[in-house]
Amino acid sequence: MRVVVDLSRCEGYAQCAFLAPDAFRMHGEEALMYDPTPDDAQRDRVLRAAAACPVQAILVDRLEGRPERRDAPLEASRS
């Protein structure tokens, strides 16, 4: 799984850091730091974090190259 965050779009709401703290964390009050290749065990949390982003700044791709839809049910996005 690969994660890309559009940092120019991110507004620091920190919903992702709350929902997937192993993949996303705030550095200070506004700077987001994230793991671009989180462990597959974090998939559900990362997908929920992406879906919860108020500005939809998070894109989650499968490493096979097919993007995962943020609006897809979690069960449908599992391999």
Side-chain angles (χ1 to χ4, degrees), residues 14 34 44 52 55 63 68 74-75:
Y34 69 99
D44 287 347
V55 295
L63 288 179
E68 295 196 26
L74 293 177
E75 293 78 52

Side-chain angles (χ1 to χ4, degrees), residues 1-4 22-25 33-39 46:
M1 165 173 51
R2 181 180 50 203
V3 174
V4 178
D22 291 336
F24 304 96
R25 68 184 173 283
M33 300 188 71
Y34 69 99
D35 180 355
T37 55
D39 187 274
V46 170

Side-chain angles (χ1 to χ4, degrees), residues 12-51:
Y13 289 105
Q15 294 300 309
C16 57
F18 176 73
L19 292 168
D22 291 336
F24 304 96
R25 68 184 173 283
M26 296 303 292
H27 182 70
E29 291 186 27
E30 295 181 12
L32 175 69
M33 300 188 71
Y34 69 99
D35 180 355
T37 55
D39 187 274
D40 223 29
Q42 297 295 313
R43 179 178 303 280
D44 287 347
R45 288 181 181 205
V46 170
L47 291 174
R48 284 188 185 109

